[in-house]
Amino acid sequence: MTTTDIFVLAVGGLVSGIMAGLLGIGGGVLLVPLLVSLGNKPIEATATSSLAIVITSVSGSIQNWRMGYFNLKKVLYLGIPALITAQLGVLIAINIPSYVLLALFGVLLLINIYLVQLRKQLLIQENPDKKPFNPTICSIATGGAGGLLAGLFGVGGGVIMVPLQMLLLGEHIKVAIQTSLGVIISTAVSSSVTQAYAGNVLFIQGIILGCGGLLGAQISTRVLPKLPDNVVSIVFRSFLGILSIYIFYRAWLNYQGLAS
């Protein structure tokens, strides 16, 4: 690993931490493409991203706990099914071709563009009197979806858990973000342990990314909320679109390499 690689990883972690703190999502949607662009295998990229997310999510949840915003009961309701499905996601990721994993991640990036907009709409339409359909079933579905994404793609899972909590459980946006961050600890740790056992985690890279994410989250919580939400949202969605094109391109190259 060169000095340039270390610098790129640190900056990448910083940017992912900023976006994660601003939008309440995990930084994996940025970290995985970054690691792939540095020449790492797709499975190594997703595994290492999980390790970096452990660092940032633990730090954020500790801060929430100190401020009295950590609801253990809600975290457990979502975290237990997420632990199970995270292992399922890892199992799938390890056993599918790398070009398929990349292509699926590209699809996830495109879906994230819609989910960011959906969360904004849910925030506008937020109804404190809304009742969930069935709290137990909805909690299992929400946590399970987040865990599956975490294990499969090395993302936190918050990008799907936040809107699902608002849509299915009637949670307020801040509560959804805080709960999601707590659940992400369990999914990221679960994924990282399994991936590390399989020899897929790049520990030095993951620690550099995680430390950069710590700093980025501090910046976003103190400075970036002052920026217009629509500007940040447009920039982020545009970035996801560009990343998805790049990931599909890498998937195609990977497929061509296997075919030849």
Side-chain angles (χ1 to χ4, degrees):
M1 187 168 54
T2 65
T3 303
T4 301
D5 290 340
I6 295 175
F7 175 77
V8 171
L9 288 170
V11 173
L14 177 69
V15 173
S16 70
I18 290 174
M19 301 310 298
L22 184 66
L23 297 174
I25 64 175
V29 293
L30 305 179
L31 298 182
V32 173
L34 173 63
L35 287 164
V36 170
S37 70
L38 292 176
N40 299 295
K41 298 177 182 178
I43 190 62
E44 292 176 338
T46 57
T48 305
S49 174
S50 294
L51 175 60
I53 291 172
V54 170
I55 299 174
T56 54
S57 61
V58 168
S59 174
S61 292
I62 289 175
Q63 183 64 24
N64 284 335
W65 174 71
R66 288 177 175 174
M67 298 174 64
Y69 298 139
F70 187 85
N71 190 315
L72 181 59
K73 183 177 180 180
K74 291 182 178 181
V75 170
L76 289 177
Y77 277 151
L78 272 64
I80 292 175
L83 279 172
I84 299 173
T85 54
Q87 292 300 310
L88 176 61
V90 171
L91 182 63
I92 296 174
I94 292 176
N95 289 283
I96 63 175
S98 57
Y99 70 88
V100 174
L101 183 61
L102 284 174
L104 290 175
F105 190 82
V107 173
L108 174 66
L109 291 175
L110 294 178
I111 293 175
N112 281 341
I113 297 175
Y114 168 73
L115 289 177
V116 171
Q117 181 62 31
L118 173 62
R119 207 188 72 178
K120 288 180 59 181
Q121 295 174 354
L122 290 173
L123 178 57
I124 295 173
Q125 302 168 3
E126 194 171 29
N127 180 7
D129 298 323
K130 182 179 179 181
K131 302 297 182 182
F133 303 105
N134 183 303
T136 301
I137 295 178
C138 291
S139 295
I140 293 174
T142 301
L148 183 64
L149 291 183
L152 184 57
F153 299 119
V155 300
V159 72
I160 186 70
M161 284 190 288
V162 170
L164 281 183
Q165 285 181 79
M166 298 175 68
L167 184 64
L168 300 180
L169 297 171
E171 295 284 17
H172 290 282
I173 177 66
K174 291 183 179 180
V175 175
I177 291 174
Q178 292 154 358
T179 303
S180 174
L181 192 60
V183 176
I184 286 172
I185 296 176
S186 63
T187 59
V189 169
S190 175
S191 302
S192 296
V193 169
T194 304
Q195 291 281 26
Y197 181 77
N200 296 322
V201 176
L202 306 174
F203 287 96
I204 296 178
Q205 289 89 331
I207 292 173
I208 294 173
L209 289 170
C211 291
L214 282 175
L215 179 58
Q218 292 297 316
I219 294 175
S220 64
T221 54
R222 299 182 183 184
V223 179
L224 288 185
K226 300 177 182 178
L227 298 177
D229 290 344
N230 61 329
V231 173
V232 177
S233 179
I234 291 173
V235 171
F236 185 63
R237 283 183 287 163
S238 300
F239 193 37
L240 287 180
I242 295 172
L243 285 177
S244 67
I245 294 173
Y246 173 75
I247 286 296
F248 283 129
Y249 170 70
R250 291 300 297 254
W252 172 250
L253 290 180
N254 201 289
Y255 173 74
Q256 289 290 90
L258 290 177
S260 61

